[in-house]
Amino acid sequence: MLDINAASSVDFKQTKANQFVLPLNQVGMTDVALVGGKNASLGEMLQNLSSQGVQVPDGFATTAYAYRYFLSAAGLEAQLQPLFAGLDVEDVSQLQQVGKQARHLMLQTPFPEELQTAIATAYARLCEEYGTDTDVAIRSSATAEDLPDASFAGQQETYLNVQGVQAVLEACHKCFASIFTDRAISYRQTKGFAHLDIALSVGVQTMVRSDLAASGVMFSIDTETGFKDVALVTAAYGLGENVVQGAVNPDEFLVFKPTLKQGFRPLVKKRLGSKEIKMVYDVGGTKLTKNVSVQPRLRQRFAISDAEVLQLARWACLIEEHYSQRRGQYTPMDIEWAKDGVTGQLFIVQARPETVHSQKEMNLLRSYTLETTGEILTTGRSVGQGVGQGKARVILDARQIELFRPGEVLVTVRTDPDWEPIMKKASAIVTNQGGRTCHAAIIARELGIPAIVGCNDATSVLETGQEITVSCCEGEEGRIYAGLLPFKLTEIPLDHLPRPQTQVLMNVGNPEEAFRLAAIPNDGVGLARLEFIIANQIQVHPLALLHFDQVKDAIAQQKIEDLTHLYTHKPDYFVDQLAQGAGAIAAAFYPKPVIVRMSDFKSNEYANLLGGQFFEPQEENPMIGWRGASRYYDPRYAEGFALECKAMKKVRDEMGLTNVVLMIPFCRTPDEGRQVLAVMAEHGLVQGENGLQVYVMCELPSNVMLADEFSQVFDGFSIGSNDLTQLTLGLDRDSAQIAHLFDERNPAVKRLIRHAIATAKAHGRKIGICGQAPSDYPEFARFLVEQGIDSISLNPDSVLKTLLEIAATEAEVARHTDRPNPPA
């Protein structure tokens, strides 16, 4: 039994350990055992980050001493202890019964008078500063939460828009009782915590009126890949509970932290969420808050401005840096924020260590691959990079969770902590609602199971008992397939891999894959194709945006209107989307070089873009027609190329991603190269300025035979073995009839490549290869190394095997020449 000192905590000169209430600005991370991780973190930021501009709402916290005093004064320990003896949390019915009894015991026991007085006095002080019956947020904070390997987030209750001393006391009492919610009991027992060893603190903060503005969650790390150099910010209208619980699909933003800290504006991704509802004050109602519909016009715009996103990301950096220094190790953070609709100010309302990627083994590369695909039943946002499968179990109400069977796929509208007792038994989780920072996503990551959130129609499309495969290994779009599809898990230890002298680069086209691919050992990106971004993200011909009135197809016009609805000037859509796509790839591999090839669509491919048919000629053989460099200075396309230049200037100048090297494809003559460089300079991309390098594709016989002259124009070469083979052997590589003759290993092709490498090196220019051949043929990679090529750019799935081949070849070459042996 505790030695109880019933003195009121009004006298703040007492030691912290025997006070009932403490101001938040008087606690910090050394006080986790006293006020819990959540409140300790708020105090830590108030004390240490306020001077750097990070704003945290004022308030106070009840202490662990107050909680234990409450239990002890009423003799509750003796009544609670027997409830947990022999409890099997896997038995959902038993768990629910025990939780109900424990909460009833807590709620029917009144607070001691001393504790009521302490809370009332502290609330009165807030009211003196912020007004009569100040509205406050009341949140639970367990003394064991936010440990490095266990997140207690969401286990206990939160109450918003609480006004008046009596309401504050009632909410604090309910928070105390919520230490015995079913999910909290289950979580503690699973993690090995004794139920009565954990105490509960209650944080009382002045409300941020985000019901009149917006709120959200942000992570100082990419939640899906663990890539640590971006901050993920999510935002929706109204109070933040909807984002946390996954009741809305929020806006998402990615900000690149290294150049943000240098003063740039590296917003590398923006994704508009549906944001269909918002939580607001229930003025005059029977509840504290309520959900209302968001007006359609507001759904179709971002909830916060770019400037606010960048400000939040800066705060995420400051918070991460502070906690990393304090803990003596890199500590990514999970942060909740809110915007006050009255003052327009931003606030941080919670911050805790991220508990998934910070605990992962980083020297093991795991990748899942579907061996076949099938009928796609529905799609959403993928969480994790795995594959899960089993029979679907559609459950619409948490009161029916006892129906769930281990190994099934949980399908529901959304989850909250009440669902956690069964989530750990699921092979995968699928929800209608939610974004990458919702409850279902966070718990799925912690449990290490795949999840797809924000499907909209999962509960109506999928049926209980139906066999399904949940695939999160195909990019940001998660796919639910009919049936149990075969898949492969590959695990590759990254320790002790050789690092050859020849640079091993990657071909990366999809920005959504960039952060995941960056974990593969590499020296940068040898080819980032703008065509992929234009075709998949932009979808519109640039001239159709510049001359929208010339698009005479009503269906195409409507699709373009839909895609560009956020932009008053349609060409800005092209620039922003292209900059974000290329910027994401450049950020993923920063500061390593990322060679971005300017667009190399053929006229028939351009015509397939929305509106493209009105601006493209009909060509008999587009493969060797109006493509690459010849377009860039041609009056018929120069305006489109200007948009590409504007986007690349934004990446380098506004985002600060100067690791981007630009490359010109299909440049037939040195004079054509000079013309292109002159056009680029007119649009602010001046070769040599701000370190800008411009390479040329070496894919035409003329590039090889005049490599000495091209060396006077460009900074480097990248061999395109596909086109070089086509034009050397006189083959149309799109023709099936002569496909058997297409072979990059042909002696004529190899002789040209040998000559190109020798000439480039003789003139002090870098030369690499970005074609398919070294990915397909190990012997071709050996040939390139023997010629002394500077870099080989490979498809991601062939990097590791080719890396080993390159290292072995270098060792063999070193044994027969004076070239030094590469380090292991």
Side-chain angles (χ1 to χ4, degrees):
M1 186 70 70
L2 293 171
D3 179 18
I4 300 299
N5 176 354
S8 168
S9 65
V10 176
D11 180 5
F12 290 122
K13 294 180 181 179
Q14 291 176 276
T15 62
K16 288 181 181 179
N18 65 351
Q19 293 184 51
F20 290 144
V21 172
L22 290 169
L24 285 176
N25 62 15
Q26 290 187 17
V27 299
M29 292 310 295
T30 56
D31 299 310
V32 171
L34 189 61
V35 294
K38 189 178 300 178
N39 290 330
S41 182
L42 290 169
E44 182 78 13
M45 291 186 290
L46 279 166
Q47 290 191 55
N48 297 282
L49 296 176
S50 295
S51 60
Q52 298 182 59
V54 178
Q55 298 193 111
V56 178
D58 196 7
F60 64 89
T62 67
T63 63
Y65 173 75
Y67 173 81
R68 293 193 171 104
Y69 180 85
F70 167 57
L71 293 188
S72 181
L76 285 171
E77 299 104 319
Q79 299 176 67
L80 288 166
Q81 192 72 54
L83 293 178
F84 304 111
L87 171 63
D88 178 9
V89 295
E90 302 299 323
D91 184 336
V92 174
S93 296
Q94 185 188 14
L95 173 63
Q96 290 172 335
Q97 183 181 359
V98 168
K100 184 177 180 180
Q101 288 178 275
R103 294 191 298 274
H104 179 71
L105 277 173
M106 297 285 281
L107 289 170
Q108 73 173 3
T109 305
F111 273 175
E113 186 176 342
E114 302 94 328
L115 179 54
Q116 291 190 51
T117 301
I119 294 172
T121 302
Y123 178 65
R125 290 183 175 180
L126 279 183
C127 292
E128 287 175 9
E129 185 170 354
Y130 296 100
T132 304
D133 289 343
T134 290
D135 47 335
V136 291
I138 297 184
R139 296 184 173 91
S140 310
S141 181
T143 56
E145 70 183 357
D146 301 336
L147 299 176
D149 59 348
S151 171
F152 280 68
Q155 297 300 323
Q156 287 82 37
E157 299 295 354
T158 291
Y159 299 94
L160 304 177
N161 183 26
V162 181
Q163 300 179 36
V165 65
Q166 194 57 43
V168 168
L169 288 167
E170 289 176 5
C172 289
H173 200 168
K174 289 178 182 177
C175 283
F176 274 22
S178 74
I179 198 168
F180 297 119
T181 58
D182 299 350
R183 71 248 189 185
I185 295 170
S186 173
Y187 194 84
R188 280 195 299 271
Q189 194 145 320
T190 301
K191 290 291 185 179
F193 292 91
H195 297 292
L196 295 181
D197 286 352
I198 308 298
L200 192 115
S201 166
V202 178
V204 180
Q205 282 180 292
T206 55
M207 278 291 296
V208 178
R209 293 300 305 271
S210 58
D211 60 305
L212 303 175
S215 57
V217 177
M218 61 179 172
F219 284 79
S220 65
I221 192 171
D222 181 56
T223 54
E224 302 316 311
T225 63
F227 182 70
K228 67 180 184 179
D229 281 341
V230 290
L232 168 68
V233 180
T234 66
Y237 297 114
L239 300 170
E241 289 300 291
N242 280 342
V243 177
V244 174
Q245 293 173 4
V248 294
N249 299 331
D251 300 332
E252 290 183 7
F253 310 87
L254 279 174
V255 182
F256 185 56
K257 295 188 296 187
T259 57
L260 177 73
K261 295 174 185 178
Q262 298 168 21
F264 293 98
R265 297 171 56 83
L267 216 172
V268 298
K269 183 166 186 182
K270 296 171 66 175
R271 177 181 177 274
L272 189 70
S274 56
K275 308 182 296 293
E276 293 178 354
I277 59 172
K278 65 176 178 178
M279 184 177 288
V280 298
Y281 282 14
D282 190 12
V283 180
T286 57
K287 298 181 179 180
L288 302 175
T289 60
K290 63 180 179 181
N291 277 319
V292 298
S293 295
V294 175
Q295 296 176 16
R297 64 179 182 84
L298 293 178
R299 296 178 198 173
Q300 294 301 312
R301 66 175 65 166
F302 290 105
I304 54 176
S305 68
D306 289 358
E308 289 167 333
V309 172
L310 294 168
Q311 180 61 64
L312 288 168
R314 292 186 194 99
W315 285 359
C317 292
L318 291 171
I319 293 168
E320 180 185 80
E321 288 170 359
H322 175 78
Y323 281 83
S324 296
Q325 290 171 4
R326 202 183 188 293
R327 299 176 67 174
Q329 64 183 45
Y330 171 61
T331 304
M333 299 296 290
D334 170 356
I335 303 161
E336 293 181 29
W337 64 271
K339 177 183 176 180
D340 194 299
V342 177
T343 66
Q345 293 178 302
L346 296 170
F347 290 89
I348 301 299
V349 295
Q350 285 192 48
R352 63 181 72 89
E354 189 270 351
T355 57
V356 177
H357 290 289
S358 57
Q359 302 300 306
K360 277 189 176 178
E361 180 62 56
M362 300 307 292
N363 62 351
L364 185 67
L365 186 67
R366 288 187 178 89
S367 62
Y368 289 79
T369 309
L370 287 180
E371 295 182 341
T372 184
T373 58
E375 178 191 0
I376 298 174
L377 301 175
T378 187
T379 63
R381 303 283 286 153
S382 62
V383 176
Q385 298 169 55
V387 176
Q389 51 188 205
K391 291 183 177 179
R393 173 69 67 174
V394 181
I395 301 179
L396 302 181
D397 191 317
R399 289 173 293 186
Q400 298 176 317
I401 61 175
E402 72 277 1
L403 299 174
F404 191 80
R405 299 291 176 265
E408 293 180 328
V409 177
L410 174 60
V411 182
T412 188
V413 177
R414 68 172 185 269
T415 67
D416 60 36
D418 287 331
W419 294 77
E420 288 176 28
I422 65 167
M423 293 174 75
K424 60 179 178 286
K425 303 176 185 179
S427 61
I429 297 169
V430 178
T431 67
N432 287 354
Q433 300 174 351
R436 290 206 289 166
T437 58
C438 73
H439 175 268
I442 291 171
I443 298 303
R445 290 188 201 101
E446 185 173 329
L447 295 172
I449 59 177
I452 298 179
V453 300
C455 295
N456 296 317
D457 60 356
T459 56
S460 58
V461 171
L462 306 177
E463 298 178 358
T464 293
Q466 181 180 14
E467 291 186 332
I468 58 174
T469 295
V470 177
S471 170
C472 297
C473 67
E474 301 172 85
E476 290 191 6
E477 182 183 74
R479 297 169 181 169
I480 294 99
Y481 292 94
L484 305 180
L485 303 182
F487 65 92
K488 178 174 64 176
L489 168 61
T490 305
E491 294 187 338
I492 302 171
L494 300 180
D495 293 339
H496 312 303
L497 279 176
R499 297 309 299 262
Q501 289 181 326
T502 306
Q503 288 191 325
V504 178
L505 309 178
M506 267 193 283
N507 300 332
V508 179
N510 186 353
E512 294 183 359
E513 290 284 285
F515 297 148
R516 179 182 67 83
L517 296 176
I520 300 173
N522 68 85
D523 295 303
V525 173
L527 177 62
R529 300 178 177 89
L530 290 191
E531 302 95 75
F532 187 98
I533 302 169
I534 295 171
N536 291 276
Q537 289 184 213
I538 298 174
Q539 303 176 41
V540 187
H541 195 290
L543 297 182
L545 296 167
L546 286 158
H547 303 286
F548 183 64
D549 58 321
Q550 295 181 29
V551 177
K552 303 303 182 183
D553 182 332
I555 295 175
Q557 279 190 332
Q558 187 56 56
K559 288 180 179 178
I560 294 171
E561 290 282 16
D562 292 342
L563 287 168
T564 62
H565 73 271
L566 290 171
Y567 295 85
T568 54
H569 184 54
K570 285 181 171 55
D572 290 343
Y573 163 77
F574 186 93
V575 173
D576 277 2
Q577 294 297 309
L578 194 59
Q580 288 171 28
I585 297 173
F589 293 87
Y590 183 89
K592 300 170 186 174
V594 171
I595 301 174
V596 175
R597 188 178 72 186
M598 306 303 274
S599 67
D600 192 27
F601 279 131
K602 292 77 180 172
S603 55
N604 58 326
E605 295 169 335
Y606 265 119
N608 288 331
L609 296 172
L610 288 172
Q613 60 181 304
F614 300 101
F615 302 95
E616 292 297 326
Q618 293 282 340
E619 292 189 279
E620 290 298 324
N621 193 344
M623 185 66 76
I624 55 173
W626 193 39
R627 58 177 285 200
S630 61
R631 281 181 166 265
Y632 302 159
Y633 56 87
D634 190 310
R636 293 172 294 173
Y637 185 76
E639 290 178 293
F641 184 63
L643 296 183
E644 292 183 38
C645 291
K646 189 174 181 179
M648 294 305 102
K649 182 173 174 60
K650 183 173 184 175
V651 171
R652 289 180 51 87
D653 294 359
E654 291 186 30
M655 298 181 181
L657 295 165
T658 53
N659 59 322
V660 166
V661 177
L662 299 179
M663 184 158 66
I664 307 303
F666 226 78
C667 184
R668 292 174 168 93
T669 68
D671 280 344
E672 189 170 56
R674 294 185 185 93
Q675 282 182 275
V676 171
L677 290 177
V679 172
M680 292 172 66
E682 289 175 10
H683 299 298
L685 293 173
V686 180
Q687 187 179 27
E689 194 173 283
N690 197 20
L692 175 61
Q693 290 187 311
V694 184
Y695 286 11
V696 66
M697 288 291 295
C698 185
E699 55 191 341
L700 309 170
S702 63
N703 299 142
V704 178
M705 304 315 295
L706 298 177
D708 53 345
E709 293 187 37
F710 277 101
S711 294
Q712 308 307 311
V713 181
F714 294 100
D715 300 297
F717 298 83
S718 183
I719 298 167
S721 57
N722 292 345
D723 271 325
L724 187 59
T725 301
Q726 171 181 240
L727 295 169
T728 301
L729 300 180
L731 300 171
D732 180 349
R733 59 188 174 100
D734 282 348
S735 172
Q737 284 77 15
I738 52 174
H740 63 286
L741 297 172
F742 188 95
D743 191 340
E744 300 96 321
R745 297 167 296 178
N746 184 282
V749 179
K750 291 175 71 174
R751 184 173 295 185
L752 285 175
I753 290 174
R754 185 182 292 113
H755 180 77
I757 294 172
T759 306
K761 295 181 80 67
H763 288 81
R765 292 292 184 245
K766 292 181 180 179
I767 185 165
I769 188 168
C770 61
Q772 184 70 25
S775 292
D776 290 344
Y777 308 118
E779 68 272 25
F780 197 84
R782 287 197 298 273
F783 160 72
L784 294 169
V785 172
E786 290 166 355
Q787 303 311 308
I789 199 164
D790 293 313
S791 64
I792 298 177
S793 193
L794 302 157
N795 295 335
D797 59 0
S798 63
V799 166
L800 293 176
K801 69 175 183 180
T802 311
L803 183 149
L804 297 173
E805 185 71 39
I806 290 170
T809 302
E810 286 185 351
E812 181 67 24
V813 170
R815 283 195 289 270
H816 296 91
T817 67
D818 294 332
R819 289 175 62 185
N821 198 16

